[in-house]
Amino acid sequence: MIVQFGSARIELVLGDITTQRVDAIVNAANAMLAGGGGVDGAIHDASGPEVMNELKRRYPDGCPTGSAVGTSAGNLRAKYIFHAVGPIWRGGGNQEKDLLESAYQTCLSLGEKLQCRSLAFPSISTGVYGYPVDLAAETALRTVATRLEATSQLELVKFVLFDQGTFGGYARVLETMLV
Ligand code: AR6
């Protein structure tokens, strides 16, 4: 599913983010930048150990929730990895929405600063961190679409969704944004 926003497009893909051909791949990391399971584990496995070494060297204090930091991409086809820290879902009354939006905004800013033309996001926070997919999709897609419509040299933002349920959740939200 591909939708145009301004001069850029948002594409939803069912698949594995580590194999995407884009300028930057976004990781769903934790605040310690310590690696883990899910998409974080897959990205570190595929990129190789130099990415973790770079994280430890450049960001020894980790990264606050709602922000992101950039590294090189090791063995991946991308130029950069943006390690974004989404919020843990605690019922919705603990600034989860603002923190999730801020994680996406930081990645978009990094992409613009590094003159990326294409970015790939996973569904940040909806795995181990428990954020409901429909709510996360709403925030993710609206944040990206608004930014693309306003000012951006980005040409393509892909959401690479790992399972059919997550893909369906994002597709339903994107459809509501067409009208
Ligand atoms: N490509 C794309 N999406 C993937 C992949 C992949 N290869 N593998 C899993 N996903 P999660 P979170 C999906 O748990 O909720 C880690 O341990 C997955 O199905 O990876 O932000 C970190 O170190 C789900 O839809 O991230 C943190 O401690 C989505 O990616 C914590 O988990 C996000 O699930 C972060 O939790």
Side-chain angles (χ1 to χ4, degrees), residues 42-106:
I43 286 176
H44 279 289
D45 284 351
S47 63
E50 71 195 61
V51 172
M52 183 54 83
N53 290 339
E54 185 177 343
L55 281 174
K56 286 184 178 145
R57 191 175 68 248
R58 292 179 61 190
Y59 312 105
D61 298 328
C63 173
T65 301
S67 193
V69 297
T71 64
S72 57
N75 300 325
L76 298 182
R77 287 174 176 157
K79 292 185 200 144
Y80 308 106
I81 301 172
F82 300 157
H83 305 263
V85 183
I88 298 172
W89 181 258
R90 293 193 172 93
N94 293 279
Q95 293 186 302
E96 291 93 331
K97 183 174 185 292
D98 291 348
L99 290 166
L100 187 63
E101 176 176 341
S102 160
Y104 279 97
Q105 294 283 17
T106 311

Side-chain angles (χ1 to χ4, degrees), residues 112-176:
E112 289 172 3
K113 191 170 129 196
L114 293 165
Q115 302 194 319
C116 295
R117 292 194 302 184
S118 54
L119 290 185
F121 284 100
S123 178
I124 298 171
S125 283
T126 66
V128 173
Y129 281 1
Y131 208 112
V133 170
D134 52 342
L135 299 180
E138 184 86 31
T139 293
L141 288 165
R142 289 200 186 278
T143 301
V144 171
T146 303
R147 185 82 170 248
L148 293 180
E149 276 171 341
T151 55
S152 188
Q153 94 273 334
L154 285 164
E155 293 170 5
L156 171 65
V157 174
K158 277 187 178 184
F159 284 88
V160 184
L161 307 161
F162 204 51
D163 60 273
Q164 194 68 56
T166 306
F167 181 87
Y170 276 68
R172 278 191 294 279
V173 171
L174 193 54
E175 273 160 21
T176 68

